[in-house]
Amino acid sequence: MRLYLAMPSVVVALLLAALGVAAITRGWVLPMNRRHVHRVRLYGWGQLVAAFGLCWQVVFGLVISGINIRQWGTLTGSGLLVTGLIVMMVSYRPAGN
């Protein structure tokens, strides 16, 4: 296991998950995103899904040694990460007047 890749990825995933929990429970979003986010809870769920996808990629990419399971696990983690980003994008305000 490559610890120099796993540790920063896990820290980023935990930070993203903490921000997602804060958005779901308290309705709190980072100050730079407050104007743009329209549905805060949906944004928080998107952050949680993205954090789970990142953790899934770390586990299957760096910890699991079986090549067949490793490929499908990282592909699933990438799908979860993209799904989380799409859910976060849906929660933004529509452009226009």
Side-chain angles (χ1 to χ4, degrees):
M1 178 169 68
R2 293 171 281 242
L3 207 55
Y4 63 92
L5 291 174
M7 292 304 291
S9 299
V10 169
V11 168
V12 168
L14 287 175
L15 180 64
L16 193 60
L19 290 172
V21 169
I24 291 170
T25 58
R26 302 287 183 185
W28 186 84
V29 181
L30 285 174
M32 65 184 97
N33 289 338
R34 283 187 189 148
R35 285 189 317 185
H36 307 292
V37 174
H38 183 64
R39 292 172 282 209
V40 178
R41 290 181 191 246
L42 185 63
Y43 186 77
W45 281 110
Q47 285 181 325
L48 283 178
V49 170
F52 184 70
L54 185 59
C55 285
W56 194 272
Q57 281 186 332
V58 167
V59 167
F60 280 95
L62 300 175
V63 177
I64 305 296
S65 61
I67 190 71
N68 198 15
I69 296 172
R70 187 177 188 182
Q71 288 176 344
W72 287 106
T74 54
L75 184 64
T76 304
S78 297
L80 285 170
L81 189 60
V82 169
T83 302
L85 292 175
I86 289 172
V87 169
M88 284 191 287
M89 286 173 30
V90 167
S91 69
Y92 275 76
R93 288 188 196 275
N97 294 334

